[in-house]
C-alpha cells in the first residue's frame, strides 16, 4: 500500500489503498484512541460511503456525529462554515476530537477550514473520494471557503493529521469529475515528471491508477515541503491556473476546475512556445494528452476576455503576474511579467 510521508509541522502520512473506508478504525488505531469524530460530507458521498465509515468507527468504540452539506461548489460558503462551527459546538467537540472530511475538494476545504479555526484548531483527517481531491486538494494544507466576490478568499494553511484515499470510491465518480483529476495529474507530469507524462500519454491512468496517484501525491509533497506557504516554488503548482481561473470565472463556474486548468495549460504552453521558452512540440504533446483524457484544449472565450479576467484577478498584487511556463515536458519555470505583457502569452 503506497504511503507518502509529509515531513511538515508534526508530519503526516498519505495512504492510498483499495476498499479501506470501512476499516478506517484500523488505520487510526496507531494515531488516535477512539474518541469523538465529526464526519463531514456532501449529500452524494453521504449516500454512497458515509455508512461504511460510521459503522466501522462505531464498532471500534468511536462516537460519530455526522454533518451533511449539499453537493457542489456552492456549499463552500461562509454560512455553511458557520453552520459547521455551530454543529461542532452543539456536539461539544473538544481540541482532542477529530474532524473527518469525506468527499471531494469542496468538503475538504470547508471541513479543513472549520477544523483549523474551531477552538483554534482540532485534529483533521482527509478521506478524499474524488481523483482531484486524492492528488491535489487533500494534500498540502490549503483550506478555504468562497465569498460572493471570489473563490477561496477566506482560508488558512492547516495540515491534516492523516490522509486516507480509498481508490474503490472512484468507481462511482462521474467521468467528468475523473477527467478533472486527470488534468491535475497531467499537470504534475508537465511540471516535474517526464516518465509520468509518457505513461499518461500512453493511456495508462486507469490501469496504473494507485501507483499514479501515489506519484502525483509525492510530487505535490515535494513542492509543499519546500514551500508550505506558497511564496516561491509551490507557485509552480499553478501551471495552467492563471488562464484556467480566468476561464472558470468567465464561464460563471460552469466549466469545472480541472477542465478549466486543461484549457489554461494548453493556452500557456502555446504561449510559452510562442515566446521561444519551449519547443513547439511541447504544446502539441500537452494538448494530445489532454484530449486523450477527454479534456478541452481550446478556450470558448476570446483572448482579450481571458487576459482581462486574469489581469483583474492579479491587480491586487501590484500589476505583476507570475506565470508558470513549461520549458520542456518535466520542467517548468516561474516568470513574473507585467499584466500588460500577458496578451503575448495568449494565442
Ligand atoms: N485545498 C487545495 O489545495 C485545493 C486544490 C485544488 C482544488 N481545491 C478545491 O477543490 C474543489 C473541487 O474539488 P472536487 O473536484 O473534488 O469537487 P467536489 O468536492 O464538488 O466533488 C465533485 C462532485 O463529485 C461528487 N463526488 C465526490 N466523490 C464521489 C464519488 N466517489 N462518487 C460519486 N460522486 C462523488 C461530489 O458530490 C460532487 O458533486 C474546489 O472548491 C477547489 O477550489 C482545493
Ligand atoms: Zn487546480
Amino acid at each position: 500500500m503506497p504511503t507518502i510521508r509529509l515531513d511538515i509541522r508534526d508530519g503526516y502520512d498519505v495512504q492510498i489503498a483499495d476498499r479501506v473506508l470501512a476499516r478506517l478504525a484500523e488505520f487510526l488505531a496507531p494515531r488516535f484512541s477512539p474518541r469523538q469524530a465529526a464526519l463531514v460530507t456532501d449529500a452524494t458521498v453521504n449516500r454512497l460511503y458515509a455508512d461504511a465509515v460510521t459503522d466501522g468507527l462505531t464498532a471500534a468504540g468511536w462516537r460519530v456525529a455526522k454533518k451533511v452539506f449539499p453537493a457542489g461548489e456552492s456549499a463552500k460558503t461562509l454560512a455553511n462554515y458557520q453552520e459547521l462551527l455551530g454543529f461542532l459546538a452543539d456536539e461539544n467537540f473538544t481540541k482532542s476530537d477529530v474532524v473527518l472530511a469525506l468527499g471531494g475538494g469542496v468538503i475538504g476545504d470547508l471541513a479543513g477550514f472549520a477544523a483549523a479555526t474551531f477552538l483554534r484548531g482540532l485534529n483533521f483527517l482527509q478521506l478524499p473520494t474524488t481523483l482531484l481531491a486524492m492528488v491535489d486538494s487533500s494534500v498540502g494544507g490549503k483550506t478555504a471557503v468562497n465569498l460572493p466576490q471570489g473563490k477561496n478568499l477566506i482560508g488558512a494553511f492547516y495540515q491534516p493529521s492523516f490522509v486516507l484515499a480509498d481508490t474503490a470510491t472512484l468507481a462511482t465518480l462521474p467521468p467528468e469529475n475523473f477527467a478533472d483529476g486527470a488534468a491535475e495529474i497531467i499537470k504534475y507530469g508537465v511540471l516535474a515528471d517526464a516518465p509520468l507524462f509518457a505513461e499518461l500519454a500512453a493511456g495508462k491512468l486507469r490501469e496504473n491508477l494507485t501507483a499514479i496517484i501515489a506519484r502525483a501525491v509525492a510530487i505535490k509533497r515535494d513542492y509543499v515541503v519546500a514551500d508550505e506557504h506558497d511564496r516561491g516554488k509551490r507557485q509552480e503548482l499553478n501551471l495552467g491556473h492563471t488562464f484556467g481561473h480566468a476561464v472558470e470565472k468567465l464561464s460563471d463556474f460552469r466549466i469545472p476546475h480541472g477542465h478549466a486548468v486543461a484549457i489554461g495549460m494548453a493556452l500557456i504552453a502555446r504561449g510559452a512556445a510562442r515566446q521561444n521558452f519551449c519547443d513547439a512540440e511541447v504544446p502539441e504533446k500537452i494538448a494530445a494528452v489532454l484530449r486523450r483524457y477527454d479534456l478541452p484544449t481550446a478556450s470558448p472565450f476570446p483572448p482579450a476576455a481571458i487576459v482581462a479576467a486574469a489581469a483583474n484577478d492579479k491587480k491586487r498584487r501590484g500589476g505583476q503576474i507570475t506565470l508558470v511556463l513549461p520549458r520542456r515536458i518535466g520542467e517548468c519555470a516561474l516568470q513574473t511579467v507585467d499584466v500588460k505583457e500577458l496578451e503575448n502569452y495568449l494565442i
Side-chain angles (χ1 to χ4, degrees), residues 136 184 241 257 261:
D136 193 355
E184 300 283 4
H241 283 60
H257 180 73
V261 167

Side-chain angles (χ1 to χ4, degrees), residues 308-342:
N312 196 29
D313 206 34
K314 302 293 166 180
K315 280 267 162 63
R316 279 171 273 143
R317 286 187 205 164
Q320 298 240 300
I321 195 160
T322 301
L323 294 172
V324 190
L325 302 177
R327 219 176 243 303
R328 57 184 67 83
I329 300 299
E331 188 189 337
C332 291
L334 296 174
Q335 178 131 317
T336 300
V337 304
D338 200 281
V339 288
K340 290 194 282 288
E341 297 166 53
L342 211 48

Side-chain angles (χ1 to χ4, degrees), residues 196-328:
L196 170 63
F197 187 89
E199 218 177 318
L200 296 168
K204 303 269 193 208
L205 176 54
R206 284 199 187 260
E207 199 178 308
N208 298 338
L209 192 57
T210 302
I212 289 177
I213 293 171
R215 186 67 202 122
V217 170
I219 294 170
K220 178 152 186 187
R221 182 259 324 267
D222 293 345
Y223 283 102
V224 170
V225 169
D227 172 26
E228 183 187 2
H229 292 115
D230 214 359
R231 296 189 183 110
K233 181 129 181 100
R234 186 170 178 173
Q235 290 174 32
E236 286 186 23
L237 294 173
N238 281 333
L239 174 66
H241 283 60
T242 300
F243 295 146
H245 283 147
V247 165
E248 231 181 330
K249 226 161 136 189
L250 288 168
S251 79
D252 246 334
F253 297 94
R254 271 185 287 273
I255 299 180
H257 180 73
H259 285 63
V261 167
I263 295 169
M265 264 192 294
L267 293 176
I268 197 65
R270 274 180 231 138
R274 182 159 101 152
Q275 296 296 315
N276 293 320
F277 205 82
C278 62
D279 292 341
E281 63 163 33
V282 171
E284 284 162 23
K285 284 184 175 170
I286 292 173
V289 181
L290 293 170
R291 279 194 293 270
R292 177 138 210 171
Y293 293 94
D294 298 322
L295 288 159
T297 59
S299 163
F301 307 106
I306 296 178
V307 167
N312 196 29
D313 206 34
K314 302 293 166 180
K315 280 267 162 63
R316 279 171 273 143
R317 286 187 205 164
Q320 298 240 300
I321 195 160
T322 301
L323 294 172
V324 190
L325 302 177
R327 219 176 243 303
R328 57 184 67 83

